[in-house]
Amino acid sequence: MEAHREKKNTCGTICLKYLLFLFNICFWLAGGAVLAVGLWTLVDKSDYISLLNSSFYSASASILIVAGVIVTLTGIIGCCATLNEKRSLLIVYLVLLLCVFLLEITAGVLAYVYQQQCFPFCYQLDDELRQNLKLNMQQKYLQPGQESITLSVDKLQQEFKCCGSHNFSDWRDSEWIQREKTQQLVPDSCCKTPSTLCGRRDHPSNIYREEGGCIEKLEDYIRSQLYILGGVGVGIAFLQLVGMMFTCCLCQNLKEDLY
């Protein structure tokens, strides 16, 4: 019995335990970071989801949140398995690491593929997003019951320093201007220095008149989020390879300790 205990506490096994425990702490912290990024993306930028009429943006943030939760739970299981030296629990942990590894690699590759617009449907989706944004801005801005859209449009134009979906002239055909016969040419949120009725002048010194409008700024932002999604997914996936290697070695050592 004493000999078995001494064998079980060999230098190799102890080193592997500490290395795997250290890996799990880093893995757990990474999961928390991924979760925080996903929540920040979904909460802070959720206003734009209603403008795009697309679930892809919210799905990207949701993937980050789900991945963060899974990674955090997997890290906790790994810590328990390592401390208790339970080979069966280590095998469960190894399987979870492998599953999360495959999911994150898949998510990272899909995010990169979507960002690069490698397939024809990506162009169709871009056109659909552009059209949805234009229709929402023209037909729903300052309309009864569309207060959330109005706030989202104002926030979008001020945050990204843009005016209109493609350019400032999009506002000429908006329901708001056509129905109310207002003297304003653009919303006040298009102004470089917003103030009441400042949208009556559409001179370049007064409003944002860059070509491409808000849609290009929003597309650039979404691409940056996809870079984050892909980078985080692939980065943590390769970190997991190290964890799987340590887990396999520790499982093998514990197996040998049984004999």
Side-chain angles (χ1 to χ4, degrees), residues 102-136:
L102 294 175
L103 285 172
E104 288 177 343
I105 284 290
T106 302
V109 170
L110 286 177
Y112 179 77
V113 167
Y114 182 85
Q115 193 277 333
Q116 292 296 318
Q117 299 182 346
C118 294
F119 299 108
F121 73 85
C122 296
Y123 293 101
Q124 296 173 8
L125 185 56
D126 276 350
D127 290 339
E128 183 182 345
L129 291 180
R130 287 170 178 263
Q131 193 63 24
N132 285 336
L133 181 62
K134 185 175 182 179
L135 289 174
N136 278 324

Side-chain angles (χ1 to χ4, degrees), residues 112-175:
Y112 179 77
V113 167
Y114 182 85
Q115 193 277 333
Q116 292 296 318
Q117 299 182 346
C118 294
F119 299 108
F121 73 85
C122 296
Y123 293 101
Q124 296 173 8
L125 185 56
D126 276 350
D127 290 339
E128 183 182 345
L129 291 180
R130 287 170 178 263
Q131 193 63 24
N132 285 336
L133 181 62
K134 185 175 182 179
L135 289 174
N136 278 324
M137 294 177 81
Q138 287 185 336
Q139 297 180 3
K140 298 181 180 180
Y141 185 78
L142 282 179
Q143 298 303 304
Q146 301 295 338
E147 289 78 10
S148 62
I149 295 291
T150 300
L151 289 173
S152 297
V153 170
D154 287 337
K155 180 179 178 182
L156 176 68
Q157 294 188 142
Q158 277 297 298
E159 184 167 342
F160 289 105
K161 297 181 179 180
C162 56
C163 185
S165 57
H166 296 80
N167 55 60
F168 74 99
S169 62
D170 291 336
W171 287 109
R172 295 173 185 170
D173 301 322
S174 68
E175 291 284 336

